[in-house]
Amino acid sequence: MKERLSREAIAMRIARELFDGAVVNLGIGIPTLVSSFVPEGMTVIYHSENGMLGFGPVVPAEDMKELADIDLVNASGQYVQPKPGMCFFHHADSFGIIRGGHVDISVLGVIEVTDHGDLANWMFPGRGVGNIGGGMDLAFNAKKVIGATEHTTKDGKPKIVKQCCVPLTSPGCVDLIVTDISVIEVTPYGLLLKEYAPGWSVEDIQALTEPELAVAKDLKEIELV
Amino acid sequence: MLNKVLDSFDAAVADIPNGAVVMIGNFAGPGGTPYYLIHALARQGARDLTIVANTAGGVGLTLDYDDHRLLFQNRQVRKVIASFPFSTSASRPSIAEKQILANEVELEIVPQGTLSERIRAGGAGIAAFYTPTGAGTVIESGKERRVFDGRPHLLELALKADFALIRAYKADTFGNLVYRGTARQFNPVMAAAAAVTIAEVDHIVDPGELDPDAVVTPGIFVKRIVQVKEDPGFPRHPERTFQVRGQHQGKEA
């Protein structure tokens, strides 16, 4: 039976891309969930645009009164907890870290992504407005950019397309696309299907993907842990 | 004797004229936003302002509160330069959003890293700089493109302001500032980029009371300091440090 992965499962798969000591920036939405699935014993150093490295988990709802502090929030505006080894710096230094190529992995949401790795994710669909925020600097400058997304829109249209219809965040920036039915690498020769969700065939995935997919020699079912 | 301390927020913003360029320290929530200075500027009523800030107010990612959206509400703003100008909720558009879409307020949208670097450059005497961010996107429009190391870059101009309204944790009377946690954000770069920088702080101490090694903003950048005397009621524990030791990993959500 064909199943689509939950948002949490997409995040679990992305967490497998992390490595010990990695400097990681997580965008709003599915990307934020990745931090819940870091393997035990691995140290991941999270970067937040508002000037923070190495912070701890989000404050749980039941501890808000005790722990929430407006002076300790992540880039999504969520209250987080302090952690040994964390540090603070100002905004220009924070983006010096990004622009200088010191962020190993940036996980970003996707509105559209192409076979060239062009990413569009800042203009709200249907609203004609959007927030560029820090996403553009991350997309242009992180060492590795992972797009985290449902494979299709709510109306079932492909989000992996030949050309973006909405304004770009960055041309040619995405390295890996993790969706609810597939894991696809963006290569200089186009898209390479590497993993599929349980029950999905190459044809099923191709039917929901605009550009042509090459199939990896070692194509396999998505492993979450 | 050098003393930059003023008694009231109203006095601190009294001379901001119509048409001024005003930078406001701000990120996603009240942390690091000069709440009382903004309210004073709203009372003062200067118009045709150009606001330089991360948001155009009312984004409410952390919590919903009266930030510089008040200035839009009062129709004091002619132009806003921001990276995150719109509400994330289509059903709850911000006041600025309505005014921007109605062409009542001009918007210059800037990638956040370019915004913070343009401000830093403004304070550091750098007229302009090349950054890769934005090349090949709508941001490139009207800008000089130049290739370095095989990669296209855009020329971005420095930003300066007539006034900066900033938020810090502690000041000495010379204006040396220390910050608390992520409330630092844009505040130190804005402090250097404005002709007149006004700091809203929790504590004011005598020179010598701050560890010179811990000072983030040199006092020469700060012209006026006002201490917060009431509690606006935001979740905050200013008596606590964020320093934690040992194997503490925080409580899992």
Side-chain angles (χ1 to χ4, degrees), chain A residues 110 113-114 116-119 139 145-147 170-177 186:
Chain A
V110 172
V113 57
T114 72
H116 299 292
D118 298 350
L119 174 69
V145 174
I146 301 176
S170 172
C173 66
V174 176
D175 299 293
L176 190 72
I177 307 166
V186 183

Side-chain angles (χ1 to χ4, degrees), chain B residues 127-145:
Chain B
F129 58 92
Y130 289 97
T131 175
T133 305
T137 76
V138 293
I139 290 301
E140 179 163 349
S141 174
K143 287 175 188 150
E144 181 191 323
R145 169 193 274 238

Side-chain angles (χ1 to χ4, degrees), chain B residues 179-218:
Chain B
Y179 299 85
R180 183 168 184 270
T182 49
R184 187 180 308 193
Q185 28 112 332
F186 281 90
N187 289 297
V189 276
M190 288 180 171
V196 177
T197 292
I198 311 170
E200 172 178 326
V201 302
D202 293 293
H203 302 288
I204 301 175
V205 298
D206 288 331
E209 294 298 318
L210 295 178
D211 177 353
D213 267 334
V215 170
V216 172
T217 296

Side-chain angles (χ1 to χ4, degrees), chain A residues 37 39-40 57-58 69 76 82 87-88 96 99 111 117 158 166 169 181 183:
Chain A
F37 302 107
E40 202 164 321
V58 169
D69 193 313
S76 304
C87 61
F88 303 114
R99 204 183 304 101
I111 292 170
V166 291
T169 304
I181 62 171
V183 177

Side-chain angles (χ1 to χ4, degrees), chain B residues 37-248:
Chain B
L37 285 170
I38 291 169
H39 282 247
L41 182 54
R43 283 192 296 273
Q44 192 257 35
R47 300 174 67 89
D48 295 322
L49 301 174
T50 294
I51 299 297
V52 181
N54 188 45
T55 77
V59 165
L61 283 182
T62 303
L63 55 87
D64 200 32
Y65 75 111
D66 278 330
D67 58 5
H68 46 306
R69 74 180 176 195
L70 288 178
L71 305 176
F72 291 86
Q73 195 172 300
N74 290 349
R75 301 201 167 267
Q76 292 173 263
V77 184
R78 183 184 69 75
K79 179 179 180 180
V80 59
I81 303 175
S83 86
F84 207 97
F86 298 108
S87 161
T88 53
S89 160
S91 59
R92 290 187 301 116
S94 67
I95 296 161
E97 176 169 344
K98 292 176 195 161
Q99 295 177 353
I100 290 163
L101 292 177
N103 287 320
E104 294 163 2
V105 167
E106 184 188 341
L107 168 68
E108 182 177 340
I109 190 165
V110 182
Q112 206 169 102
T114 301
L115 181 64
S116 53
E117 190 64 13
R118 287 178 67 190
I119 298 166
R120 196 194 72 80
I126 307 286
F129 58 92
Y130 289 97
T131 175
T133 305
T137 76
V138 293
I139 290 301
E140 179 163 349
S141 174
K143 287 175 188 150
E144 181 191 323
R145 169 193 274 238
R146 194 166 155 187
V147 175
F148 296 93
D149 296 330
R151 211 178 164 200
H153 287 64
L154 304 179
L155 184 68
E156 295 282 0
L157 305 182
L159 273 172
K160 291 187 199 181
D162 301 308
F163 291 84
L165 310 184
I166 67 165
R167 181 73 165 95
Y169 178 53
K170 210 179 263 190
D172 67 20
T173 55
F174 283 3
N176 292 306
L177 301 178
V178 297
Y179 299 85
R180 183 168 184 270
T182 49
R184 187 180 308 193
Q185 28 112 332
F186 281 90
N187 289 297
V189 276
M190 288 180 171
V196 177
T197 292
I198 311 170
E200 172 178 326
V201 302
D202 293 293
H203 302 288
I204 301 175
V205 298
D206 288 331
E209 294 298 318
L210 295 178
D211 177 353
D213 267 334
V215 170
V216 172
T217 296
I220 56 163
F221 294 138
V222 179
K223 296 286 189 291
R224 302 169 192 167
I225 312 157
V226 190
Q227 187 175 353
V228 174
K229 294 177 188 78
E230 51 193 307
D231 178 6
F234 300 129
R236 193 162 180 255
H237 307 278
E239 74 290 351
R240 281 189 207 161
T241 168
F242 293 128
Q243 184 177 11
V244 286
R245 291 187 170 84
Q247 291 307 302
H248 172 92

